[in-house]
Amino acid sequence: MSKLTTDNQPAFEELLGRIRQTRQAVFAQANTALIDLYWSVGQVISQKVQREAWGKGVVAELARHIARHAPELKGFSDKNLWRMKQFYETYAADTALVRLVRELPWSHNLAIFSRCKTPDERAFYLHLAREKKYGFRELDRQISASLFERSRLGEAKLSTVLRELHPTAGQAFKDSYVLEFLGLPEAHSEADLQKALLRHMKAFILELGSDFIFVGEEYRLQVGNQDFYIDLLFFHRGLAALVAFELKIGRFMPEHLGQLGFYLEALDRDVRKPHENPSIGVLLCRDQDEEVVEYALSRNLSPALIAQYTLQLPDKKLLQARLHEILTR
């Protein structure tokens, strides 16, 4: 690299940053304008249906008119025009969410208002998509995995020590993790589970949460003259802590916590950096007895939690029914 190029590097980076920032602003403005257009089209159609008895025939005629006189315009089929009407009617009375829908692409909005049944559920995914900057596939998968219902129905099972050391840990972990993307058979070994998670690490981190950073598998700890291995080791940026995952393909047993506590002690003594918080342990089990879990965690002295995994997408209708039952008690 020439001296001239080296000397100009800071200026080059500054100009590149400006270009990227402007392009992002242009894309954001274009998206907002498009959402505003779909909103206004939906509003007009909604009003025409109510006041002038427009029906499917008239809307289909409108779609043909647009296609005939402006063939370069795409996305204005009669089906999409009805979606714009539904979009407007979904949020017309909910001013708090109107600002959010203008920040997301049409594909995201379409997935949310067409698949989510309640204002709370729509608000949950609108905020999630904006905060996590999800692409469409990531958002669609979270809806399919019933993240909203699961977050309302089950709180992560945390030890008292974990709650004290990390007061926000309940927001970082889930009670259950859906791993349908692994494609594992019902009968599988812990080695099968670990290898599948490594092959699908990107999808696994999406299920865990975006703040998780993968450190390594079979992470070696040397204590005395013996070697021990953590199944999966992560670092959580928000909690500023190492997170050790131990995988169990069977039912949770209280003795599992002893092994995990030993690993956490070794991590904190030999691996954790001075500026990091105490390490956290996660027992990811195939099955668990709620009462056994409660007893085991009540006097456990390690910052640990117990979670369950499933290999199939949950029954969304069943979860919705359970959530409705709880909310209407």
Side-chain angles (χ1 to χ4, degrees):
M1 184 179 290
S2 68
K3 184 176 186 303
L4 178 62
T5 303
T6 303
D7 290 343
N8 288 327
Q9 197 72 16
F12 291 172
E13 289 300 320
E14 180 184 355
L15 288 172
L16 178 58
R18 290 186 183 183
I19 293 169
R20 286 172 171 165
Q21 187 176 14
T22 301
R23 279 171 57 86
Q24 268 189 333
V26 169
F27 290 148
Q29 290 173 2
N31 178 74
T32 299
L34 185 64
I35 297 301
D36 287 345
L37 172 62
Y38 290 169
W39 177 276
S40 62
V41 170
Q43 181 180 26
V44 171
I45 295 175
S46 177
Q47 293 171 348
K48 291 291 186 182
V49 168
Q50 293 178 18
R51 299 171 186 173
E52 301 179 26
W54 275 25
K56 291 184 178 180
V58 177
V59 174
E61 186 179 346
L62 170 61
R64 290 192 295 269
H65 179 86
I66 294 173
R68 184 166 59 252
H69 293 279
E72 73 280 5
L73 296 178
K74 305 300 180 184
F76 291 92
S77 65
D78 55 338
K79 186 176 182 179
N80 282 340
L81 290 172
W82 280 111
R83 286 172 173 163
M84 294 172 202
K85 170 182 175 290
Q86 182 188 358
F87 175 55
Y88 166 75
E89 292 175 348
T90 297
Y91 298 109
D94 198 340
T95 55
L97 297 182
V98 171
R99 179 180 58 83
L100 284 177
V101 303
R102 298 174 77 242
E103 297 181 23
L104 296 179
W106 176 245
S107 59
H108 291 53
N109 277 304
L110 182 58
I112 292 171
F113 78 76
S114 64
R115 299 184 62 191
C116 301
K117 305 305 180 185
T118 67
D120 285 346
E121 185 181 6
R122 289 190 289 269
F124 176 85
Y125 288 113
L126 285 170
H127 284 287
L128 184 73
R130 185 189 64 171
E131 292 170 6
K132 303 297 185 182
K133 295 180 172 55
Y134 279 158
F136 172 76
R137 291 181 63 183
E138 295 168 328
L139 173 64
D140 188 65
R141 194 263 167 187
Q142 296 292 19
I143 297 175
S144 296
S146 303
L147 180 59
F148 170 74
E149 291 84 1
R150 288 159 53 208
S151 66
R152 296 298 189 273
L153 287 171
E155 294 184 355
K157 299 176 178 64
L158 315 179
S159 69
T160 302
V161 175
L162 178 53
R163 294 183 188 278
E164 293 174 350
L165 292 176
H166 298 279
T168 61
Q171 302 169 22
F173 297 97
K174 303 172 186 174
D175 176 58
S176 63
Y177 292 92
V178 179
L179 308 179
E180 90 293 345
F181 50 83
L182 298 182
L184 285 173
E186 285 299 311
H188 58 274
S189 66
E190 288 178 4
D192 293 333
L193 177 60
Q194 185 177 23
K195 290 176 183 177
L197 288 171
L198 292 172
R199 287 196 303 269
H200 300 274
M201 184 54 65
K202 183 177 179 180
F204 185 40
I205 289 179
L206 174 62
E207 174 65 6
L208 292 177
S210 58
D211 271 355
F212 283 87
I213 300 172
F214 181 54
V215 176
E217 82 280 7
E218 293 295 320
Y219 190 87
R220 178 174 168 269
L221 298 170
Q222 185 175 14
V223 179
N225 295 321
Q226 299 184 57
D227 290 336
F228 302 88
Y229 298 89
I230 298 172
D231 288 338
L232 299 172
L233 184 64
F234 292 83
F235 184 80
H236 192 279
R237 294 173 59 203
L239 299 174
L242 292 164
V243 181
F245 272 76
E246 279 298 293
L247 310 176
K248 303 297 179 183
I249 61 168
R251 174 172 288 193
F252 163 74
M253 300 298 290
E255 54 263 33
H256 295 157
L257 283 174
Q259 177 190 30
L260 186 59
F262 176 80
Y263 291 162
L264 295 181
E265 183 69 19
L267 282 173
D268 282 348
R269 289 195 188 196
D270 305 328
V271 181
R272 177 167 68 101
K273 297 183 182 300
H275 66 277
E276 294 174 353
N277 292 318
S279 303
I280 299 169
V282 180
L283 274 169
L284 190 58
C285 306
R286 184 68 184 275
D287 193 14
Q288 56 182 300
D289 184 301
E290 299 286 337
E291 196 168 4
V292 173
V293 168
E294 181 186 352
Y295 275 48
L297 286 176
S298 63
R299 297 193 182 186
N300 185 264
L301 299 180
S302 296
L305 66 120
I306 300 165
Q308 191 171 348
Y309 74 90
T310 178
L311 297 174
Q312 296 182 348
L313 288 172
D315 187 327
K316 192 174 183 68
K317 291 184 178 179
L318 178 60
L319 292 181
Q320 288 174 338
R322 287 173 55 194
L323 183 59
H324 178 73
E325 180 182 349
I326 291 173
L327 294 177
T328 55
R329 281 178 182 172

